[in-house]
């Protein structure tokens, strides 16, 4: 069994508020009686893509378990690579695969530089397909990126979701070892399906998006941050629990 925590949309911007909310979540994870096997961070780590914001993220991610990030539409690839990953600055897609026990976790880049909408471009789709093909013995896999590939029925996240989705759906049809798809961007937890797989949207750390029937203001700045916990058992059964960090 593996236990994963998913957080999203930290939007670190140099303010005390943003840092405190992220630190509250990381401290909560540190104190769990059963350590998580990894933390997945599904994008918008920085608010402006500044190197100092990624340096702050690196300090917050200095914890005794792996932290696996991917970029969101607020992130800037070159600064992300240099200040967060310690790699040479470059502007190409940031795609990484990680192994937790026998499970492969593909952290993918769904960003379009300078655009709020998402896309899995040809390079990223080819990387996903090749990476899954190379898994030994059909090991289970999870795919994570920032932009949800389905409408969540709110004008803000739906305006910037992943488009198009046909090639990704076809890829999933060819790879039954993919257990679930994990995304962020919506600033509110959500559960759906895509191409026959569970689609789990991680809650935002910075603020929560109000649904249309919850009031006129789109953002709830006072709602406590949340975490999604994903469990993949030895029978490849996948379950998710959302928790608020008070």
């Amino acid at each position: 069994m593996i236990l994963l925590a998913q957080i999203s949309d930290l939007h670190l911007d140099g303010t005390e508020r943003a840092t405190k909310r992220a630190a509250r979540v990381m401290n909560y994870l540190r104190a769990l009686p059963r350590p998580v096997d990894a933390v997945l961070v599904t994008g918008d780590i920085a608010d402006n893509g500044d190197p100092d914001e990624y340096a702050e993220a690196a300090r917050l991610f200095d914890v005794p378990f792996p932290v696996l990030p991917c970029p969101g539409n607020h992130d800037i690839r070159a600064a992300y690579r240099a200040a967060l990953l310690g790699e040479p600055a470059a502007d190409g897609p940031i795609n990484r695969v990680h192994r937790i026990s026998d499970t492969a976790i593909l952290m993918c880049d769904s960003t379009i530089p300078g655009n709020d909408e998402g896309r899995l471009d040809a390079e990223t789709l080819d990387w996903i397909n090749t990476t899954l093909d190379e898994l030994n013995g059909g090991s289970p896999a999870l795919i994570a990126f920032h932009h949800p590939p389905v409408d969540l029925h709110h004008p803000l996240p739906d305006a910037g979701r992943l488009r198009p989705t046909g090639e990704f759906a076809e890829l999933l049809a060819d790879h039954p070892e993919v257990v679930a798809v994990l995304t962020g961007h919506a600033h509110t937890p959500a559960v759906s399906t895509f191409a026959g797989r569970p689609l789990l949207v991680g809650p935002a750390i910075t603020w929560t998006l109000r649904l249309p029937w919850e009031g006129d203001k789109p953002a709830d700045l006072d709602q406590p941050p949340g975490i999604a916990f994903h469990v993949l058992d030895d029978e490849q059964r996948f379950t998710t629990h959302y928790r608020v960090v008070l």
Side-chain angles (χ1 to χ4, degrees):
M1 183 193 82
I2 64 169
L3 173 63
L4 304 171
Q6 180 191 357
I7 61 176
S8 197
D9 295 82
L10 282 66
H11 287 273
L12 296 170
D13 58 3
T15 65
E16 183 180 12
R17 176 189 179 277
T19 299
K20 278 188 172 182
R21 288 177 69 88
R24 187 195 314 178
V25 169
M26 300 310 292
N27 289 337
Y28 178 90
L29 293 170
R30 282 176 179 269
L32 290 174
R34 194 280 199 197
V36 296
D37 293 298
V39 178
L40 282 55
V41 189
T42 44
D44 279 358
I45 295 165
D47 194 52
N48 305 293
D50 293 337
D52 287 347
E53 295 169 347
Y54 293 117
E56 178 66 17
R59 289 190 289 271
L60 290 164
F61 295 165
D62 184 14
V63 290
F65 35 78
V67 177
L68 316 179
C70 65
N73 55 290
H74 277 253
D75 292 307
I76 304 297
R77 289 172 174 173
Y80 179 112
R81 275 193 168 94
L84 184 60
L85 302 182
E87 300 176 358
D91 293 326
I94 301 171
N95 301 309
R96 300 289 185 274
V97 61
H98 308 270
R99 292 277 192 159
I100 303 295
S101 186
D102 67 341
T103 300
I105 301 175
L106 283 67
M107 304 298 296
C108 309
D109 191 336
S110 64
T111 66
I112 305 170
N115 196 314
D116 287 339
E117 290 188 356
R119 179 184 65 207
L120 296 174
D121 65 15
E123 179 179 339
T124 295
L125 286 168
D126 182 66
W127 176 85
I128 294 172
N129 192 57
T130 300
T131 301
L132 292 174
D133 283 343
E134 292 174 349
L135 294 180
N136 294 325
S139 300
L142 300 171
I143 296 179
F145 47 83
H146 185 62
H147 297 81
V150 299
D151 283 334
L152 299 174
H153 305 295
H154 192 293
L156 289 181
D158 289 351
R161 73 170 180 87
L162 191 78
R163 306 172 194 275
T165 59
E167 288 184 271
F168 182 52
E170 292 174 4
L171 185 154
L172 290 178
D174 292 334
H175 290 283
E177 68 273 24
V178 177
V179 176
V181 177
L182 313 177
T183 70
H185 187 55
H187 282 242
T188 190
V191 177
S192 187
T193 61
F194 177 79
R197 311 302 160 84
L199 170 67
L200 292 312
V201 180
I205 301 303
T206 181
W207 48 261
T208 298
L209 185 67
R210 291 182 187 271
L211 295 173
W213 53 85
E214 293 181 313
D216 295 332
K217 294 182 179 180
D220 186 341
L221 301 181
D222 298 322
Q223 178 71 20
I227 304 173
F229 287 100
H230 307 300
V231 177
L232 182 62
D233 70 15
D234 295 337
E235 303 299 322
Q236 296 190 22
R237 291 174 297 200
F238 187 82
T239 57
T240 295
H241 310 269
Y242 290 99
R243 183 164 298 178
V244 172
V245 181
L246 298 174

